[in-house]
mmCIF file of all heavy atoms in Angstrom:
data_model
loop_
_atom_site.group_PDB
_atom_site.id
_atom_site.type_symbol
_atom_site.label_atom_id
_atom_site.label_comp_id
_atom_site.label_asym_id
_atom_site.label_seq_id
_atom_site.Cartn_x
_atom_site.Cartn_y
_atom_site.Cartn_z
ATOM 1 N N MET A 1 -4.141 121.037 -151.849
ATOM 2 C CA MET A 1 -5.365 121.855 -151.827
ATOM 3 C C MET A 1 -6.339 121.403 -152.918
ATOM 4 O O MET A 1 -5.908 120.976 -153.974
ATOM 5 C CB MET A 1 -5.007 123.325 -152.016
ATOM 6 C CG MET A 1 -5.370 124.145 -150.786
ATOM 7 S SD MET A 1 -5.039 125.887 -150.969
ATOM 8 C CE MET A 1 -3.237 125.894 -150.930
ATOM 9 N N GLU A 2 -7.599 121.549 -152.636
ATOM 10 C CA GLU A 2 -8.603 121.122 -153.610
ATOM 11 C C GLU A 2 -9.456 122.288 -154.069
ATOM 12 O O GLU A 2 -9.616 123.268 -153.351
ATOM 13 C CB GLU A 2 -9.525 120.078 -152.973
ATOM 14 C CG GLU A 2 -8.871 118.714 -152.853
ATOM 15 C CD GLU A 2 -9.755 117.752 -152.097
ATOM 16 O OE1 GLU A 2 -10.988 117.951 -152.103
ATOM 17 O OE2 GLU A 2 -9.227 116.811 -151.489
ATOM 18 N N ASP A 3 -10.022 122.136 -155.255
ATOM 19 C CA ASP A 3 -10.961 123.140 -155.735
ATOM 20 C C ASP A 3 -12.159 123.210 -154.800
ATOM 21 O O ASP A 3 -12.582 122.212 -154.246
ATOM 22 C CB ASP A 3 -11.451 122.777 -157.141
ATOM 23 C CG ASP A 3 -10.351 122.952 -158.166
ATOM 24 O OD1 ASP A 3 -9.241 123.353 -157.802
ATOM 25 O OD2 ASP A 3 -10.630 122.690 -159.350
ATOM 26 N N LYS A 4 -12.691 124.408 -154.653
ATOM 27 C CA LYS A 4 -13.832 124.592 -153.756
ATOM 28 C C LYS A 4 -14.982 125.185 -154.538
ATOM 29 O O LYS A 4 -14.777 126.088 -155.356
ATOM 30 C CB LYS A 4 -13.450 125.612 -152.684
ATOM 31 C CG LYS A 4 -13.119 125.041 -151.351
ATOM 32 C CD LYS A 4 -13.004 126.194 -150.369
ATOM 33 C CE LYS A 4 -11.957 125.914 -149.316
ATOM 34 N NZ LYS A 4 -11.799 127.066 -148.416
ATOM 35 N N ASN A 5 -16.179 124.714 -154.267
ATOM 36 C CA ASN A 5 -17.347 125.346 -154.861
ATOM 37 C C ASN A 5 -17.909 126.358 -153.875
ATOM 38 O O ASN A 5 -18.172 126.039 -152.729
ATOM 39 C CB ASN A 5 -18.419 124.314 -155.200
ATOM 40 C CG ASN A 5 -18.056 123.520 -156.438
ATOM 41 O OD1 ASN A 5 -17.389 124.034 -157.331
ATOM 42 N ND2 ASN A 5 -18.473 122.285 -156.493
ATOM 43 N N ILE A 6 -18.089 127.570 -154.347
ATOM 44 C CA ILE A 6 -18.609 128.636 -153.490
ATOM 45 C C ILE A 6 -19.827 129.255 -154.166
ATOM 46 O O ILE A 6 -19.847 129.421 -155.386
ATOM 47 C CB ILE A 6 -17.520 129.709 -153.252
ATOM 48 C CG1 ILE A 6 -16.323 129.071 -152.531
ATOM 49 C CG2 ILE A 6 -18.080 130.881 -152.458
ATOM 50 C CD1 ILE A 6 -15.170 130.028 -152.299
ATOM 51 N N VAL A 7 -20.832 129.572 -153.383
ATOM 52 C CA VAL A 7 -22.007 130.227 -153.936
ATOM 53 C C VAL A 7 -21.821 131.735 -153.828
ATOM 54 O O VAL A 7 -21.568 132.274 -152.755
ATOM 55 C CB VAL A 7 -23.288 129.794 -153.190
ATOM 56 C CG1 VAL A 7 -24.487 130.566 -153.702
ATOM 57 C CG2 VAL A 7 -23.510 128.300 -153.365
ATOM 58 N N CYS A 8 -21.939 132.409 -154.960
ATOM 59 C CA CYS A 8 -21.728 133.853 -155.004
ATOM 60 C C CYS A 8 -22.769 134.581 -154.154
ATOM 61 O O CYS A 8 -23.958 134.305 -154.217
ATOM 62 C CB CYS A 8 -21.790 134.332 -156.452
ATOM 63 S SG CYS A 8 -21.702 136.115 -156.606
ATOM 64 N N LYS A 9 -22.270 135.524 -153.380
ATOM 65 C CA LYS A 9 -23.107 136.304 -152.488
ATOM 66 C C LYS A 9 -24.032 137.241 -153.269
ATOM 67 O O LYS A 9 -25.123 137.575 -152.821
ATOM 68 C CB LYS A 9 -22.163 137.136 -151.612
ATOM 69 C CG LYS A 9 -22.765 137.748 -150.402
ATOM 70 C CD LYS A 9 -21.661 138.517 -149.682
ATOM 71 C CE LYS A 9 -22.245 139.660 -148.900
ATOM 72 N NZ LYS A 9 -21.245 140.655 -148.541
ATOM 73 N N ASP A 10 -23.564 137.704 -154.413
ATOM 74 C CA ASP A 10 -24.323 138.679 -155.181
ATOM 75 C C ASP A 10 -25.369 138.053 -156.096
ATOM 76 O O ASP A 10 -26.517 138.461 -156.098
ATOM 77 C CB ASP A 10 -23.373 139.543 -156.013
ATOM 78 C CG ASP A 10 -22.776 140.676 -155.201
ATOM 79 O OD1 ASP A 10 -23.007 140.683 -153.979
ATOM 80 O OD2 ASP A 10 -22.094 141.526 -155.777
ATOM 81 N N CYS A 11 -24.962 137.065 -156.904
ATOM 82 C CA CYS A 11 -25.892 136.524 -157.893
ATOM 83 C C CYS A 11 -26.379 135.126 -157.533
ATOM 84 O O CYS A 11 -27.283 134.605 -158.185
ATOM 85 C CB CYS A 11 -25.258 136.540 -159.281
ATOM 86 S SG CYS A 11 -23.869 135.416 -159.449
ATOM 87 N N GLY A 12 -25.808 134.514 -156.496
ATOM 88 C CA GLY A 12 -26.272 133.201 -156.070
ATOM 89 C C GLY A 12 -25.810 132.059 -156.953
ATOM 90 O O GLY A 12 -26.238 130.924 -156.783
ATOM 91 N N LYS A 13 -24.934 132.369 -157.878
ATOM 92 C CA LYS A 13 -24.420 131.353 -158.778
ATOM 93 C C LYS A 13 -23.238 130.662 -158.137
ATOM 94 O O LYS A 13 -22.464 131.284 -157.427
ATOM 95 C CB LYS A 13 -23.979 132.033 -160.086
ATOM 96 C CG LYS A 13 -24.260 131.254 -161.327
ATOM 97 C CD LYS A 13 -24.114 132.133 -162.566
ATOM 98 C CE LYS A 13 -22.697 132.682 -162.747
ATOM 99 N NZ LYS A 13 -22.582 133.584 -163.909
ATOM 100 N N GLU A 14 -23.118 129.362 -158.417
ATOM 101 C CA GLU A 14 -21.986 128.641 -157.868
ATOM 102 C C GLU A 14 -20.768 128.831 -158.763
ATOM 103 O O GLU A 14 -20.874 128.781 -159.975
ATOM 104 C CB GLU A 14 -22.326 127.157 -157.765
ATOM 105 C CG GLU A 14 -21.586 126.471 -156.645
ATOM 106 C CD GLU A 14 -22.053 125.033 -156.465
ATOM 107 O OE1 GLU A 14 -21.711 124.204 -157.308
ATOM 108 O OE2 GLU A 14 -22.766 124.767 -155.488
ATOM 109 N N PHE A 15 -19.624 129.085 -158.139
ATOM 110 C CA PHE A 15 -18.398 129.192 -158.927
ATOM 111 C C PHE A 15 -17.305 128.385 -158.244
ATOM 112 O O PHE A 15 -17.423 128.007 -157.086
ATOM 113 C CB PHE A 15 -17.976 130.661 -159.080
ATOM 114 C CG PHE A 15 -17.603 131.343 -157.787
ATOM 115 C CD1 PHE A 15 -16.275 131.465 -157.414
ATOM 116 C CD2 PHE A 15 -18.584 131.861 -156.961
ATOM 117 C CE1 PHE A 15 -15.918 132.102 -156.221
ATOM 118 C CE2 PHE A 15 -18.247 132.501 -155.766
ATOM 119 C CZ PHE A 15 -16.912 132.622 -155.397
ATOM 120 N N VAL A 16 -16.244 128.112 -158.996
ATOM 121 C CA VAL A 16 -15.151 127.305 -158.466
ATOM 122 C C VAL A 16 -14.001 128.185 -158.019
ATOM 123 O O VAL A 16 -13.532 129.038 -158.762
ATOM 124 C CB VAL A 16 -14.654 126.303 -159.534
ATOM 125 C CG1 VAL A 16 -13.521 125.460 -158.963
ATOM 126 C CG2 VAL A 16 -15.785 125.414 -159.999
ATOM 127 N N PHE A 17 -13.610 128.006 -156.783
ATOM 128 C CA PHE A 17 -12.412 128.644 -156.251
ATOM 129 C C PHE A 17 -11.316 127.587 -156.382
ATOM 130 O O PHE A 17 -11.238 126.658 -155.591
ATOM 131 C CB PHE A 17 -12.688 129.018 -154.791
ATOM 132 C CG PHE A 17 -11.581 129.802 -154.127
ATOM 133 C CD1 PHE A 17 -10.784 130.677 -154.845
ATOM 134 C CD2 PHE A 17 -11.376 129.682 -152.756
ATOM 135 C CE1 PHE A 17 -9.774 131.412 -154.218
ATOM 136 C CE2 PHE A 17 -10.379 130.413 -152.112
ATOM 137 C CZ PHE A 17 -9.579 131.278 -152.848
ATOM 138 N N THR A 18 -10.518 127.727 -157.416
ATOM 139 C CA THR A 18 -9.576 126.659 -157.731
ATOM 140 C C THR A 18 -8.401 126.620 -156.761
ATOM 141 O O THR A 18 -8.109 127.605 -156.068
ATOM 142 C CB THR A 18 -9.008 126.827 -159.153
ATOM 143 O OG1 THR A 18 -8.238 128.030 -159.201
ATOM 144 C CG2 THR A 18 -10.121 126.914 -160.181
ATOM 145 N N ALA A 19 -7.734 125.481 -156.740
ATOM 146 C CA ALA A 19 -6.567 125.316 -155.879
ATOM 147 C C ALA A 19 -5.525 126.389 -156.196
ATOM 148 O O ALA A 19 -4.904 126.944 -155.297
ATOM 149 C CB ALA A 19 -5.978 123.927 -156.073
ATOM 150 N N GLY A 20 -5.367 126.698 -157.471
ATOM 151 C CA GLY A 20 -4.407 127.719 -157.872
ATOM 152 C C GLY A 20 -4.764 129.085 -157.330
ATOM 153 O O GLY A 20 -3.903 129.840 -156.885
ATOM 154 N N GLU A 21 -6.048 129.406 -157.358
ATOM 155 C CA GLU A 21 -6.496 130.696 -156.827
ATOM 156 C C GLU A 21 -6.341 130.745 -155.309
ATOM 157 O O GLU A 21 -6.022 131.788 -154.739
ATOM 158 C CB GLU A 21 -7.957 130.937 -157.207
ATOM 159 C CG GLU A 21 -8.127 131.304 -158.657
ATOM 160 C CD GLU A 21 -9.576 131.291 -159.095
ATOM 161 O OE1 GLU A 21 -10.362 130.499 -158.549
ATOM 162 O OE2 GLU A 21 -9.920 132.054 -159.992
ATOM 163 N N GLN A 22 -6.595 129.608 -154.674
ATOM 164 C CA GLN A 22 -6.429 129.559 -153.220
ATOM 165 C C GLN A 22 -4.977 129.817 -152.852
ATOM 166 O O GLN A 22 -4.672 130.513 -151.889
ATOM 167 C CB GLN A 22 -6.870 128.186 -152.695
ATOM 168 C CG GLN A 22 -8.370 127.967 -152.817
ATOM 169 C CD GLN A 22 -8.759 126.559 -152.412
ATOM 170 O OE1 GLN A 22 -8.395 126.100 -151.350
ATOM 171 N NE2 GLN A 22 -9.498 125.883 -153.268
ATOM 172 N N GLU A 23 -4.100 129.247 -153.647
ATOM 173 C CA GLU A 23 -2.668 129.446 -153.446
ATOM 174 C C GLU A 23 -2.327 130.932 -153.582
ATOM 175 O O GLU A 23 -1.619 131.518 -152.781
ATOM 176 C CB GLU A 23 -1.920 128.630 -154.510
ATOM 177 C CG GLU A 23 -0.454 128.427 -154.208
ATOM 178 C CD GLU A 23 -0.216 127.603 -152.951
ATOM 179 O OE1 GLU A 23 -0.886 126.551 -152.780
ATOM 180 O OE2 GLU A 23 0.622 128.017 -152.149
ATOM 181 N N PHE A 24 -2.886 131.551 -154.623
ATOM 182 C CA PHE A 24 -2.669 132.968 -154.894
ATOM 183 C C PHE A 24 -3.186 133.831 -153.739
ATOM 184 O O PHE A 24 -2.520 134.762 -153.281
ATOM 185 C CB PHE A 24 -3.401 133.324 -156.195
ATOM 186 C CG PHE A 24 -3.334 134.780 -156.564
ATOM 187 C CD1 PHE A 24 -2.187 135.308 -157.152
ATOM 188 C CD2 PHE A 24 -4.419 135.615 -156.344
ATOM 189 C CE1 PHE A 24 -2.134 136.649 -157.496
ATOM 190 C CE2 PHE A 24 -4.367 136.962 -156.688
ATOM 191 C CZ PHE A 24 -3.224 137.481 -157.263
ATOM 192 N N PHE A 25 -4.365 133.493 -153.256
ATOM 193 C CA PHE A 25 -4.950 134.233 -152.135
ATOM 194 C C PHE A 25 -4.058 134.145 -150.906
ATOM 195 O O PHE A 25 -3.844 135.121 -150.207
ATOM 196 C CB PHE A 25 -6.346 133.665 -151.805
ATOM 197 C CG PHE A 25 -7.474 134.488 -152.365
ATOM 198 C CD1 PHE A 25 -7.560 134.730 -153.722
ATOM 199 C CD2 PHE A 25 -8.431 135.031 -151.532
ATOM 200 C CE1 PHE A 25 -8.592 135.495 -154.246
ATOM 201 C CE2 PHE A 25 -9.469 135.800 -152.043
ATOM 202 C CZ PHE A 25 -9.540 136.026 -153.396
ATOM 203 N N LYS A 26 -3.557 132.947 -150.652
ATOM 204 C CA LYS A 26 -2.716 132.737 -149.495
ATOM 205 C C LYS A 26 -1.434 133.567 -149.610
ATOM 206 O O LYS A 26 -0.984 134.183 -148.653
ATOM 207 C CB LYS A 26 -2.373 131.242 -149.369
ATOM 208 C CG LYS A 26 -2.473 130.739 -147.938
ATOM 209 C CD LYS A 26 -2.348 129.242 -147.869
ATOM 210 C CE LYS A 26 -0.895 128.796 -148.044
ATOM 211 N NZ LYS A 26 -0.758 127.328 -147.986
ATOM 212 N N GLU A 27 -0.886 133.567 -150.817
ATOM 213 C CA GLU A 27 0.321 134.327 -151.071
ATOM 214 C C GLU A 27 0.113 135.814 -150.794
ATOM 215 O O GLU A 27 0.991 136.514 -150.320
ATOM 216 C CB GLU A 27 0.716 134.149 -152.537
ATOM 217 C CG GLU A 27 2.040 133.466 -152.736
ATOM 218 C CD GLU A 27 2.220 133.048 -154.185
ATOM 219 O OE1 GLU A 27 2.118 133.913 -155.059
ATOM 220 O OE2 GLU A 27 2.407 131.841 -154.425
ATOM 221 N N LYS A 28 -1.079 136.286 -151.155
ATOM 222 C CA LYS A 28 -1.392 137.703 -150.988
ATOM 223 C C LYS A 28 -1.771 138.038 -149.555
ATOM 224 O O LYS A 28 -1.994 139.185 -149.205
ATOM 225 C CB LYS A 28 -2.562 138.084 -151.907
ATOM 226 C CG LYS A 28 -2.223 138.026 -153.377
ATOM 227 C CD LYS A 28 -1.495 139.294 -153.798
ATOM 228 C CE LYS A 28 -0.962 139.169 -155.207
ATOM 229 N NZ LYS A 28 -0.076 140.258 -155.565
ATOM 230 N N GLY A 29 -1.904 137.006 -148.728
ATOM 231 C CA GLY A 29 -2.229 137.225 -147.338
ATOM 232 C C GLY A 29 -3.713 137.362 -147.048
ATOM 233 O O GLY A 29 -4.105 137.809 -145.972
ATOM 234 N N PHE A 30 -4.553 136.995 -148.034
ATOM 235 C CA PHE A 30 -5.997 137.030 -147.796
ATOM 236 C C PHE A 30 -6.395 135.787 -147.023
ATOM 237 O O PHE A 30 -6.101 134.678 -147.435
ATOM 238 C CB PHE A 30 -6.776 137.067 -149.115
ATOM 239 C CG PHE A 30 -6.472 138.264 -149.969
ATOM 240 C CD1 PHE A 30 -6.309 138.135 -151.344
ATOM 241 C CD2 PHE A 30 -6.369 139.522 -149.402
ATOM 242 C CE1 PHE A 30 -6.023 139.251 -152.137
ATOM 243 C CE2 PHE A 30 -6.090 140.640 -150.193
ATOM 244 C CZ PHE A 30 -5.918 140.498 -151.561
ATOM 245 N N GLU A 31 -7.055 135.988 -145.915
ATOM 246 C CA GLU A 31 -7.423 134.825 -145.105
ATOM 247 C C GLU A 31 -8.802 134.308 -145.427
ATOM 248 O O GLU A 31 -9.140 133.174 -145.121
ATOM 249 C CB GLU A 31 -7.350 135.187 -143.625
ATOM 250 C CG GLU A 31 -5.897 135.290 -143.175
ATOM 251 C CD GLU A 31 -5.764 135.679 -141.729
ATOM 252 O OE1 GLU A 31 -6.796 135.782 -141.045
ATOM 253 O OE2 GLU A 31 -4.627 135.888 -141.300
ATOM 254 N N ASN A 32 -9.616 135.146 -146.039
ATOM 255 C CA ASN A 32 -10.988 134.724 -146.315
ATOM 256 C C ASN A 32 -11.156 134.253 -147.753
ATOM 257 O O ASN A 32 -10.507 134.747 -148.656
ATOM 258 C CB ASN A 32 -11.953 135.872 -146.059
ATOM 259 C CG ASN A 32 -11.927 136.308 -144.614
ATOM 260 O OD1 ASN A 32 -11.826 135.476 -143.715
ATOM 261 N ND2 ASN A 32 -11.978 137.602 -144.377
ATOM 262 N N ASP A 33 -12.055 133.314 -147.931
ATOM 263 C CA ASP A 33 -12.391 132.878 -149.275
ATOM 264 C C ASP A 33 -13.162 133.991 -149.971
ATOM 265 O O ASP A 33 -13.831 134.788 -149.320
ATOM 266 C CB ASP A 33 -13.286 131.630 -149.206
ATOM 267 C CG ASP A 33 -12.513 130.426 -148.705
ATOM 268 O OD1 ASP A 33 -11.280 130.503 -148.603
ATOM 269 O OD2 ASP A 33 -13.160 129.408 -148.426
ATOM 270 N N PRO A 34 -13.081 134.029 -151.289
ATOM 271 C CA PRO A 34 -13.880 135.029 -152.000
ATOM 272 C C PRO A 34 -15.367 134.724 -151.828
ATOM 273 O O PRO A 34 -15.750 133.571 -151.709
ATOM 274 C CB PRO A 34 -13.450 134.867 -153.456
ATOM 275 C CG PRO A 34 -12.894 133.483 -153.546
ATOM 276 C CD PRO A 34 -12.323 133.167 -152.193
ATOM 277 N N VAL A 35 -16.183 135.759 -151.802
ATOM 278 C CA VAL A 35 -17.620 135.543 -151.624
ATOM 279 C C VAL A 35 -18.378 135.797 -152.918
ATOM 280 O O VAL A 35 -19.567 135.523 -153.006
ATOM 281 C CB VAL A 35 -18.197 136.436 -150.508
ATOM 282 C CG1 VAL A 35 -17.655 136.006 -149.158
ATOM 283 C CG2 VAL A 35 -17.885 137.897 -150.757
ATOM 284 N N ARG A 36 -17.676 136.324 -153.909
ATOM 285 C CA ARG A 36 -18.340 136.639 -155.181
ATOM 286 C C ARG A 36 -17.686 135.905 -156.331
ATOM 287 O O ARG A 36 -16.480 135.684 -156.320
ATOM 288 C CB ARG A 36 -18.283 138.131 -155.455
ATOM 289 C CG ARG A 36 -19.163 138.906 -154.535
ATOM 290 C CD ARG A 36 -19.126 140.380 -154.844
ATOM 291 N NE ARG A 36 -19.860 141.082 -153.816
ATOM 292 C CZ ARG A 36 -19.334 141.473 -152.680
ATOM 293 N NH1 ARG A 36 -18.055 141.274 -152.451
ATOM 294 N NH2 ARG A 36 -20.073 142.071 -151.791
ATOM 295 N N CYS A 37 -18.491 135.591 -157.341
ATOM 296 C CA CYS A 37 -17.958 134.935 -158.523
ATOM 297 C C CYS A 37 -17.115 135.929 -159.328
ATOM 298 O O CYS A 37 -17.242 137.139 -159.140
ATOM 299 C CB CYS A 37 -19.103 134.375 -159.364
ATOM 300 S SG CYS A 37 -20.133 135.631 -160.129
ATOM 301 N N PRO A 38 -16.273 135.423 -160.202
ATOM 302 C CA PRO A 38 -15.406 136.325 -160.991
ATOM 303 C C PRO A 38 -16.208 137.395 -161.742
ATOM 304 O O PRO A 38 -15.751 138.534 -161.861
ATOM 305 C CB PRO A 38 -14.702 135.369 -161.961
ATOM 306 C CG PRO A 38 -14.701 134.055 -161.252
ATOM 307 C CD PRO A 38 -15.973 134.018 -160.455
ATOM 308 N N ASP A 39 -17.367 137.041 -162.248
ATOM 309 C CA ASP A 39 -18.195 138.009 -162.977
ATOM 310 C C ASP A 39 -18.583 139.180 -162.089
ATOM 311 O O ASP A 39 -18.472 140.342 -162.477
ATOM 312 C CB ASP A 39 -19.463 137.335 -163.510
ATOM 313 C CG ASP A 39 -19.166 136.503 -164.748
ATOM 314 O OD1 ASP A 39 -18.029 136.588 -165.256
ATOM 315 O OD2 ASP A 39 -20.062 135.775 -165.185
ATOM 316 N N CYS A 40 -19.068 138.872 -160.898
ATOM 317 C CA CYS A 40 -19.498 139.929 -159.983
ATOM 318 C C CYS A 40 -18.308 140.730 -159.475
ATOM 319 O O CYS A 40 -18.410 141.927 -159.270
ATOM 320 C CB CYS A 40 -20.270 139.334 -158.811
ATOM 321 S SG CYS A 40 -21.887 138.710 -159.293
ATOM 322 N N ARG A 41 -17.195 140.047 -159.286
ATOM 323 C CA ARG A 41 -15.992 140.761 -158.851
ATOM 324 C C ARG A 41 -15.587 141.780 -159.911
ATOM 325 O O ARG A 41 -15.256 142.916 -159.615
ATOM 326 C CB ARG A 41 -14.849 139.763 -158.629
ATOM 327 C CG ARG A 41 -14.552 139.531 -157.158
ATOM 328 C CD ARG A 41 -13.458 138.517 -156.987
ATOM 329 N NE ARG A 41 -13.983 137.163 -157.094
ATOM 330 C CZ ARG A 41 -13.225 136.088 -157.318
ATOM 331 N NH1 ARG A 41 -11.932 136.208 -157.463
ATOM 332 N NH2 ARG A 41 -13.770 134.905 -157.407
ATOM 333 N N ARG A 42 -15.626 141.326 -161.159
ATOM 334 C CA ARG A 42 -15.260 142.204 -162.263
ATOM 335 C C ARG A 42 -16.238 143.372 -162.346
ATOM 336 O O ARG A 42 -15.847 144.519 -162.556
ATOM 337 C CB ARG A 42 -15.254 141.414 -163.573
ATOM 338 C CG ARG A 42 -14.221 141.916 -164.547
ATOM 339 C CD ARG A 42 -14.134 140.984 -165.754
ATOM 340 N NE ARG A 42 -13.772 139.629 -165.397
ATOM 341 C CZ ARG A 42 -14.433 138.527 -165.805
ATOM 342 N NH1 ARG A 42 -15.493 138.627 -166.559
ATOM 343 N NH2 ARG A 42 -14.015 137.342 -165.437
ATOM 344 N N ALA A 43 -17.506 143.075 -162.194
ATOM 345 C CA ALA A 43 -18.533 144.109 -162.281
ATOM 346 C C ALA A 43 -18.330 145.162 -161.199
ATOM 347 O O ALA A 43 -18.466 146.358 -161.449
ATOM 348 C CB ALA A 43 -19.915 143.474 -162.158
ATOM 349 N N ARG A 44 -18.016 144.697 -160.008
ATOM 350 C CA ARG A 44 -17.811 145.642 -158.902
ATOM 351 C C ARG A 44 -16.576 146.502 -159.131
ATOM 352 O O ARG A 44 -16.564 147.688 -158.835
ATOM 353 C CB ARG A 44 -17.675 144.880 -157.584
ATOM 354 C CG ARG A 44 -18.983 144.379 -157.061
ATOM 355 C CD ARG A 44 -18.776 143.588 -155.799
ATOM 356 N NE ARG A 44 -18.317 144.418 -154.695
ATOM 357 C CZ ARG A 44 -19.119 145.089 -153.882
ATOM 358 N NH1 ARG A 44 -20.410 145.005 -154.032
ATOM 359 N NH2 ARG A 44 -18.639 145.814 -152.913
ATOM 360 N N LYS A 45 -15.544 145.882 -159.667
ATOM 361 C CA LYS A 45 -14.323 146.605 -159.943
ATOM 362 C C LYS A 45 -14.575 147.683 -160.996
ATOM 363 O O LYS A 45 -14.138 148.821 -160.867
ATOM 364 C CB LYS A 45 -13.261 145.623 -160.447
ATOM 365 C CG LYS A 45 -11.865 145.989 -160.041
ATOM 366 C CD LYS A 45 -10.933 144.854 -160.397
ATOM 367 C CE LYS A 45 -9.503 145.336 -160.544
ATOM 368 N NZ LYS A 45 -8.646 144.302 -161.135
ATOM 369 N N ALA A 46 -15.306 147.298 -162.036
ATOM 370 C CA ALA A 46 -15.618 148.234 -163.115
ATOM 371 C C ALA A 46 -16.439 149.400 -162.576
ATOM 372 O O ALA A 46 -16.253 150.550 -162.959
ATOM 373 C CB ALA A 46 -16.384 147.515 -164.218
ATOM 374 N N GLU A 47 -17.342 149.077 -161.657
ATOM 375 C CA GLU A 47 -18.196 150.112 -161.080
ATOM 376 C C GLU A 47 -17.349 151.109 -160.293
ATOM 377 O O GLU A 47 -17.566 152.318 -160.376
ATOM 378 C CB GLU A 47 -19.203 149.442 -160.147
ATOM 379 C CG GLU A 47 -20.494 150.207 -159.995
ATOM 380 C CD GLU A 47 -21.459 149.429 -159.130
ATOM 381 O OE1 GLU A 47 -22.158 148.547 -159.639
ATOM 382 O OE2 GLU A 47 -21.482 149.713 -157.919
ATOM 383 N N ARG A 48 -16.412 150.570 -159.530
ATOM 384 C CA ARG A 48 -15.540 151.442 -158.745
ATOM 385 C C ARG A 48 -14.724 152.358 -159.638
ATOM 386 O O ARG A 48 -14.515 153.527 -159.319
ATOM 387 C CB ARG A 48 -14.596 150.590 -157.889
ATOM 388 C CG ARG A 48 -15.102 150.354 -156.499
ATOM 389 C CD ARG A 48 -13.961 150.144 -155.513
ATOM 390 N NE ARG A 48 -12.996 149.155 -155.960
ATOM 391 C CZ ARG A 48 -13.083 147.853 -155.709
ATOM 392 N NH1 ARG A 48 -14.088 147.396 -155.005
ATOM 393 N NH2 ARG A 48 -12.190 147.008 -156.149
ATOM 394 N N ASN A 49 -14.265 151.799 -160.760
ATOM 395 C CA ASN A 49 -13.431 152.594 -161.652
ATOM 396 C C ASN A 49 -14.219 153.688 -162.365
ATOM 397 O O ASN A 49 -13.638 154.639 -162.863
ATOM 398 C CB ASN A 49 -12.778 151.677 -162.701
ATOM 399 C CG ASN A 49 -11.686 150.823 -162.060
ATOM 400 O OD1 ASN A 49 -11.178 151.143 -160.993
ATOM 401 N ND2 ASN A 49 -11.339 149.734 -162.725
ATOM 402 N N ASN A 50 -15.519 153.526 -162.415
ATOM 403 C CA ASN A 50 -16.346 154.513 -163.107
ATOM 404 C C ASN A 50 -16.586 155.757 -162.258
ATOM 405 O O ASN A 50 -17.038 156.772 -162.760
ATOM 406 C CB ASN A 50 -17.697 153.904 -163.490
ATOM 407 C CG ASN A 50 -17.560 153.085 -164.770
ATOM 408 O OD1 ASN A 50 -16.622 153.283 -165.538
ATOM 409 N ND2 ASN A 50 -18.488 152.174 -164.987
ATOM 410 N N ARG A 51 -16.341 155.609 -160.957
ATOM 411 C CA ARG A 51 -16.621 156.744 -160.103
ATOM 412 C C ARG A 51 -15.458 157.702 -159.963
ATOM 413 O O ARG A 51 -14.344 157.295 -160.002
ATOM 414 C CB ARG A 51 -17.011 156.227 -158.713
ATOM 415 C CG ARG A 51 -18.481 155.974 -158.740
ATOM 416 C CD ARG A 51 -18.980 155.416 -157.423
ATOM 417 N NE ARG A 51 -20.190 154.646 -157.726
ATOM 418 C CZ ARG A 51 -20.615 153.663 -156.955
ATOM 419 N NH1 ARG A 51 -19.984 153.327 -155.894
ATOM 420 N NH2 ARG A 51 -21.710 153.023 -157.268
HETATM 421 ZN ZN1 ZN B 101 -21.898 136.458 -158.919
#
């Protein structure tokens, strides 16, 4: 597996979806690539926890 560059859906910044993360996603049964960068993912998670 190779690292993938993905453009974040939220901020438009390019981030790397590493081979290790892809492996992790596969293990967890996620079929789709992430659409958000780690920063935006964290921000969304924090927002959810605030409610
Ligand atoms: Zn982002």
Side-chain angles (χ1 to χ4, degrees):
M1 244 182 289
E2 284 174 26
D3 289 359
K4 257 190 214 177
N5 285 329
I6 298 178
V7 175
C8 174
K9 195 180 152 198
D10 278 7
C11 67
K13 218 166 62 183
E14 209 174 73
F15 64 98
V16 180
F17 185 32
T18 65
E21 285 169 329
Q22 291 175 52
E23 196 64 46
F24 177 79
F25 260 58
K26 223 171 76 180
E27 243 167 56
K28 293 279 171 190
F30 300 138
E31 286 179 5
N32 298 321
D33 291 350
V35 292
R36 289 182 187 86
C37 68
D39 283 352
C40 289
R41 254 178 278 163
R42 212 173 300 130
R44 284 178 67 86
K45 213 171 157 191
E47 207 176 276
R48 265 208 310 271
N49 288 340
N50 279 339
R51 273 178 206 155

